[in-house]
């Protein structure tokens, strides 16, 4: 995949998406601020949230063993997966053993990360996403662009068109004369998916939290599709990142306070399901939990980087990020967009590809992401840490174009005569630019800098030139 | 060949290094002191904020309130958990079914469900079901389009920590829990809130005071 700056160009040029994103992020942002202000000890909660997660990470092996034991004791079957392929294989085998060719899914970042739907498709199993936004993304043959509102880049008429064109091919079609009113669109989704819920034999989920001392898994949601998936089918398979553990049932209350307010800006999300293995006569009688590593242990090995595993995927950092707001989620090239994606993705995947090397630079380092993060992840500090890693990996090799440009710049700034000459050159060039207000693309080596930025065009006259013109001589 | 389990645990252990203290308990958080009367009032406000219908009543007039709630939602049939007090539905003229291995398809043809609750949370407007005998299995309060939920005033606690403390026993018994804050809702289309996508579109919460 190309680097972030080139990926971002599509997002920047898409004015519809920019408008949708701006509206969405600002709305959620202000809702969040209001409900966070209601909580008198918010800062204390954040500190505690971070401390609980740090505690888990510092003893992850112990807690995983404890979680496995309590899950097993409550009737669940535990599987371990080193990477995406292994996790997909486990799920595929479990589904095939049930002799079904379809299943229902509740939105899960972990299964997106391992590309489970695609892996199931290969063996002829259809995995139906049931969250309204995920349904829009899936029917639109698209990718999610936000953690919380994955179809936020689509507007209502686009959604209506997708429903009209795609629903019929995979189940209950959209009703005739479907309008683009959100209530009508939601009703169409309800009818389309209800049929799938009622007949589903197998469901796949993720989990927001996994409680080590009790073996309880937790899913927060709004629509009820989660409850449908978690209770109606006979078999439930949950893919859970190993960092999702919390030590005790009592620790969960911190996150039940932090997550909804940070995420949707609500005091509480409409539905939370908590289940502990199997319950006779209620819900799935066969419950599987796949504990997933897929790069998490290597994040854990980096003492600075480790804190990224505290993330509870609330998406608050996306909604305050000026870079995300303009570039959109697709530019990050992974399921984790925005500031958290910029640090988590290169850590999970390593920094060998050009995209993953560019992600730590996809930030203005303004620090807003840290201020809102409910578990106090020092995202700006981590970005700098990862930039250092990327630079170190390159040291000794050919200098980058940006490196050359910056070295030239420092040579120029080091001496005032060179600086003035350069300034005069740039004001001359501004006459060539005519009425343009931004620079656009500069020639190499400056292109590596200007490619991702709209810098204002230089003024037609420098301050020094103006001084000389209006005051006669250059006085020192 | 090492198993995935052994390998992941070994990776974790090596990532963490060898000299480690065993996990220590985090210090207890200070609990808020609260005024029970105000807690229920706040619960009424926060629950109504979620576009649930909320009302308070006393135990003697509960059957009338339930009948009125069901009539208000135009429900002709209602399903009840086996352990629910049968007198609650004496005022309801429609069909009353007692849950007995009904399939999801059966449930889909029933208009409403009535349940009790385990805990209410004032700070957030949440009712929690622990699916005890008067709340039934999870599917019955999910598939019908109207959920009438009856909660005793003394089950309402101020905030989430008191709720998790009150639910410890249910968790020890490995009972599933469902936390419900308002009706099913989505904001996925241009952030316009729409009630009811997959869960019940109407949530009617009735708070009963024991005396009076
Ligand atoms: S990094 Fe923090 S703010 Fe961002 S999604 Fe994770 S928990 Fe939320």
């Amino acid at each position: 995949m190309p680097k972030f700056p080139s990926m971002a160009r599509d997002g920047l040029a898409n004015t519809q998406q920019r408008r949708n994103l701006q509206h969405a992020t600002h709305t959620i942002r202000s809702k969040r601020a209001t409900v966070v202000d209601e909580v008198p000890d918010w800062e204390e909660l954040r500190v505690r949230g971070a401390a609980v997660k740090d505690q888990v990470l510092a003893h992850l092996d112990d807690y995983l063993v404890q979680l496995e034991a309590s899950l097993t004791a409550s009737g669940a079957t535990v599987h371990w997966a080193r990477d995406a392929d292994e996790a997909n294989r486990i799920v595929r085998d479990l589904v095939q053993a049930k002799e079904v060719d379809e299943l229902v899914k509740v939105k899960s970042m972990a299964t997106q990360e391992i590309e489970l739907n695609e892996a199931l498709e290969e063996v002829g199993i259809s995995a139906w996403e049931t969250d309204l936004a995920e349904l829009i993304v899936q029917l639109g043959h698209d990718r999610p662009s936000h953690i919380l509102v994955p179809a936020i880049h689509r507007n209502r008429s686009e959604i209506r068109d997708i429903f009209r064109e795609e629903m019929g091919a995979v189940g209950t079609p959209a009703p005739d004369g479907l309008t683009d009113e959100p209530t009508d669109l939601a009703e169409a989704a309800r009818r389309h998916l209800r049929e799938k819920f009622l007949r589903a034999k197998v469901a796949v989920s993720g989990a927001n939290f996994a409680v080590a001392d009790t073996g309880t898994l937790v899913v927060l949601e709004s629509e009820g599709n989660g409850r449908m998936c978690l209770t109606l089918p006979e078999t439930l398979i949950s893919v859970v990142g190993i960092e999702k553990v919390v030590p005790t049932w009592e620790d969960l209350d911190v996150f039940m306070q932090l997550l909804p307010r940070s995420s949707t800006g609500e005091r509480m999300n409409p539905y939370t399901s908590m289940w502990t293995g199997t319950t006779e006569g209620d819900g799935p009688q066969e419950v599987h939990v796949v504990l997933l590593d897929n790069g998490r242990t290597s994040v854990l090995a980096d003492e600075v980087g480790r804190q990224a595993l505290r993330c509870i995927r609330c998406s608050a950092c996306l909604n305050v990020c000026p870079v995300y707001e303009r570039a959109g989620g697709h530019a990050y090239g992974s399921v984790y967009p925005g500031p958290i994606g910029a640090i988590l993705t290169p850590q999970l995947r390593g920094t060998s590809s050009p995209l993953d090397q560019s992600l730590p630079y996809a930030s203005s380092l303004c620090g807003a992401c840290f201020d809102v993060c409910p578990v106090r992840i020092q995202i700006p500090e981590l970005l700098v840490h990862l930039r250092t890693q990327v630079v170190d990996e390159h040291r000794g090799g050919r200098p980058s174009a940006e490196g050359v440009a910056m070295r030239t710049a420092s040579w120029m700034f080091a001496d005032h005569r060179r600086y003035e000459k350069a300034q005069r050159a740039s004001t001359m060039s501004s006459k060539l630019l005519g009425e343009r207000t931004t620079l656009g693309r500069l020639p190499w080596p400056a292109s590596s800098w200007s490619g991702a930025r709209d810098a204002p065009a230089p003024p037609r006259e420098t301050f020094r030139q103006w001084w000389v013109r209006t005051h006669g001589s250059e006085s020192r | 060949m090492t198993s995935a389990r052994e390998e992941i645990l070994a990776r974790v252990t090596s990532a963490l290094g060898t000299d480690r203290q065993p996990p220590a308990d985090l210090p207890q958080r200070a609990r808020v002191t609260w005024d029970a009367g105000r807690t229920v009032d706040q619960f009424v406000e926060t629950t109504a904020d979620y576009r649930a219908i909320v009302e308070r009543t006393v135990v003697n007039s509960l059957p009338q309130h339930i009948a009125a709630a069901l009539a208000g939602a135009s429900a002709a049939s209602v399903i009840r958990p086996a352990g629910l007090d049968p007198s609650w539905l004496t005022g309801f003229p429609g069909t009353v079914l007692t849950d007995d291995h009904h399939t999801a398809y059966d449930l889909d043809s029933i208009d409403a469900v009535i349940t009790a609750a385990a805990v209410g949370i004032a700070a957030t407007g949440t009712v929690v079901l622990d699916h005890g005998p008067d709340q039934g299995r999870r599917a019955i309060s999910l598939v019908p389009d109207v959920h009438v939920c009856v909660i005793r005033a003394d089950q309402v606690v101020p905030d989430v920590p008191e709720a998790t403390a009150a639910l410890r026993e249910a968790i020890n018994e490995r009972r599933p829990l469902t936390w419900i804050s308002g009706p099913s809702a989505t904001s996925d289309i241009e952030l316009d809130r729409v009630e009811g996508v997959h869960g019940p579109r109407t949530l009617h919460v009735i708070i009963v005071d024991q005396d009076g």
Side-chain angles (χ1 to χ4, degrees):
Chain A
M1 247 186 256
K3 288 183 175 190
F4 179 83
S6 19
M7 305 260 289
R9 209 164 288 134
D10 290 341
L12 290 170
N14 184 341
T15 46
Q16 175 72 52
Q17 169 173 307
R18 282 178 67 163
R19 210 172 305 131
N20 293 358
L21 273 179
Q22 211 242 357
H23 170 65
T25 55
H26 285 248
T27 309
I28 306 176
R29 204 194 283 187
S30 67
K31 278 175 70 189
R32 177 200 159 273
T34 313
V35 295
V36 161
D37 280 349
E38 279 180 14
V39 182
D41 58 345
W42 183 255
E43 195 52 33
E44 205 186 313
L45 276 175
R46 284 178 84 208
V47 169
R48 195 172 179 90
V52 172
K53 282 285 187 173
D54 280 348
Q55 160 106 327
V56 164
L57 294 172
H59 304 280
L60 190 57
D61 38 9
D62 299 333
Y63 286 120
L64 285 171
V65 171
Q66 191 189 8
L67 175 68
E68 179 188 42
S70 37
L71 279 169
T72 311
S74 56
T77 309
V78 178
H79 311 258
W80 299 74
R82 280 166 276 217
D83 54 24
D85 283 346
E86 191 162 21
N88 287 334
R89 205 175 325 122
I90 293 167
V91 178
R92 213 162 45 204
D93 290 350
L94 289 170
V95 179
Q96 282 178 328
K98 296 285 133 199
E99 297 180 343
V100 294
D101 57 4
E102 64 166 8
L103 53 84
V104 287
K105 275 188 72 198
V106 43
K107 173 177 155 27
S108 143
M109 312 245 15
T111 60
Q112 273 168 33
E113 178 189 318
I114 60 174
E115 301 185 345
L116 176 66
N117 293 7
E118 291 77 359
L120 291 170
E121 196 66 63
E122 277 171 23
V123 293
I125 298 165
S126 308
W128 308 118
E129 293 291 349
T130 59
D131 168 88
L132 176 53
E134 285 296 334
L135 174 74
I136 296 166
V137 169
Q138 188 175 41
L139 290 175
H141 312 287
D142 196 1
R143 286 182 298 130
S145 61
H146 189 286
I147 295 178
L148 180 71
V149 275
I152 201 62
H153 55 292
R154 298 285 200 180
N155 62 21
R156 56 184 73 188
S157 59
E158 290 176 301
I159 296 169
R160 180 202 51 207
D161 295 346
I162 292 171
F163 279 11
R164 274 187 186 159
E165 280 155 32
E166 305 285 342
M167 272 184 171
V170 292
T172 309
D176 291 336
L178 178 66
T179 74
D180 63 1
E181 274 306 305
T183 36
D184 287 349
L185 294 171
E187 175 69 27
R190 182 184 179 96
R191 289 184 24 169
H192 179 80
L193 285 171
R194 184 142 296 218
E195 174 214 5
K196 293 190 158 66
F197 287 134
L198 296 182
R199 66 162 189 247
K201 297 264 183 288
V202 178
V204 169
S205 83
N208 292 93
F209 305 101
V211 184
D213 74 335
T214 61
T216 306
L217 297 189
V218 182
V219 164
L220 286 78
E221 48 124 8
S222 299
E223 297 173 5
N225 63 305
R227 294 177 63 192
M228 293 271 181
C229 293
L230 300 169
T231 58
L232 296 186
E234 294 155 10
T235 302
L236 171 63
I237 307 165
S238 306
V239 180
V240 182
I242 54 172
E243 82 286 13
K244 299 275 169 171
V245 193
V246 299
T248 68
W249 167 250
E250 280 68 27
D251 292 314
L252 197 61
D253 79 58
V254 182
F255 300 103
M256 288 302 292
Q257 294 175 81
L258 286 171
L259 182 52
R261 288 183 203 257
S262 302
S263 164
T264 46
E266 295 172 296
R267 298 188 184 107
M268 192 61 85
N269 51 297
Y271 297 131
T272 299
S273 297
M274 301 180 177
W275 71 103
T276 308
T278 54
T279 307
E280 209 190 307
D282 183 355
Q285 296 301 298
E286 193 177 324
V287 167
H288 297 270
V289 180
V290 183
L291 296 174
L292 174 72
D293 179 351
N294 204 33
R296 285 160 176 76
T297 46
S298 55
V299 183
L300 190 69
D302 177 346
E303 273 174 47
V304 185
R306 182 181 298 172
Q307 54 176 310
L309 296 177
R310 296 208 294 248
C311 176
I312 55 173
R313 317 274 190 262
C314 71
S315 74
C317 58
L318 276 63
N319 298 328
V320 296
C321 178
V323 176
Y324 171 82
E325 184 185 322
R326 287 161 182 85
H330 293 155
Y332 295 80
S334 93
V335 294
Y336 305 110
I340 181 60
I343 57 170
L344 194 57
T345 304
Q347 290 199 87
L348 286 173
R349 298 201 293 220
T351 46
S352 56
S353 79
L355 171 68
D356 292 327
Q357 284 168 14
S358 70
L359 282 176
Y361 293 89
S363 166
S364 63
L365 296 183
C366 71
C369 47
F370 167 72
D371 291 340
V372 296
C373 178
V375 285
R376 295 175 53 98
I377 300 174
Q378 308 267 3
I379 299 176
E381 180 193 298
L382 258 174
L383 287 162
V384 174
H385 172 73
L386 289 168
R387 288 181 189 187
T388 314
Q389 250 176 40
V390 171
V391 171
D392 283 349
E393 279 162 22
H394 280 267
R395 194 155 288 157
R398 224 161 47 85
S400 70
E402 186 162 357
V404 171
M406 288 301 165
R407 220 168 294 151
T408 315
S410 78
W411 172 81
M412 181 186 78
F413 284 118
D415 180 303
H416 79 91
R417 278 180 306 264
R418 278 182 219 146
Y419 175 62
E420 282 158 32
K421 219 190 252 165
Q423 273 195 324
R424 271 196 294 279
S426 84
T427 53
M428 301 255 304
S429 74
S430 100
K431 287 174 191 130
L432 300 175
L433 289 169
E435 293 307 305
R436 291 181 58 178
T437 54
T438 57
L439 275 182
R441 292 187 74 83
L442 295 174
W444 191 88
S447 60
S448 63
W449 187 84
S450 69
R453 291 165 177 88
D454 274 340
R460 285 158 175 272
E461 195 174 39
T462 68
F463 175 78
R464 283 162 194 272
Q465 284 170 328
W466 170 83
W467 185 268
V468 172
R469 181 162 62 78
T470 54
H471 292 73
S473 76
E474 209 167 341
S475 54
R476 296 241 150 100
Chain B
M1 212 180 77
T2 41
S3 69
R5 177 184 191 276
E6 303 316 317
E7 191 172 329
I8 293 169
L9 288 173
R11 285 181 196 170
V12 172
T13 310
S14 92
L16 294 173
T18 41
D19 93 73
R20 283 192 289 153
Q21 303 294 315
D25 282 339
L26 293 166
Q28 287 289 309
R29 275 200 5 254
R31 280 285 165 82
V32 287
T33 45
W34 44 286
D35 151 13
R38 173 72 203 123
T39 300
V40 177
D41 290 343
Q42 194 193 354
F43 177 71
V44 171
E45 286 159 28
T46 49
T47 307
D49 240 21
Y50 274 123
R51 307 192 200 179
I53 303 165
V54 198
E55 57 178 320
R56 283 186 82 161
T57 184
V58 288
V59 77
N60 294 336
S61 19
L62 185 58
Q64 285 123 274
H65 278 266
I66 291 171
L70 291 168
S74 321
S77 56
V78 64
I79 188 161
R80 58 182 283 273
L84 191 93
D85 182 346
S87 74
W88 286 10
L89 284 162
T90 45
F92 178 64
T95 314
V96 179
L97 297 126
T98 302
D99 181 38
D100 179 27
H101 304 99
H102 291 76
T103 66
Y105 288 100
D106 297 337
L107 296 175
D108 196 33
S109 65
I110 298 168
D111 296 333
V113 55
I114 176 156
T115 70
V119 173
I121 307 173
T124 60
T126 306
V127 289
V128 185
L129 309 187
D130 68 7
H131 302 284
D134 55 359
Q135 298 151 60
R137 62 195 170 109
R138 287 170 282 174
I140 64 163
S141 50
L142 171 63
V143 182
D145 205 13
V146 177
H147 180 189
V148 178
C149 183
V150 179
I151 184 165
R152 295 194 317 267
D154 65 10
Q155 290 176 311
V156 180
V157 299
D159 205 352
V160 176
E162 291 78 15
T164 47
L167 291 161
R168 188 28 132 157
E169 208 182 299
I171 282 291
N172 287 345
E173 290 170 13
R174 296 183 182 141
R175 291 232 283 273
L177 302 180
T178 307
W179 298 41
I180 300 172
S181 311
S184 158
T186 183
S187 299
D188 280 343
I189 302 160
E190 296 181 20
L191 291 189
D192 264 3
R193 191 176 168 101
V194 179
E195 256 79 66
V197 193
H198 307 304
R201 279 179 278 205
T202 305
L203 174 68
H204 194 126
V205 178
I206 303 177
I207 305 157
V208 246
D209 286 292
Q210 287 310 293
D211 38 61

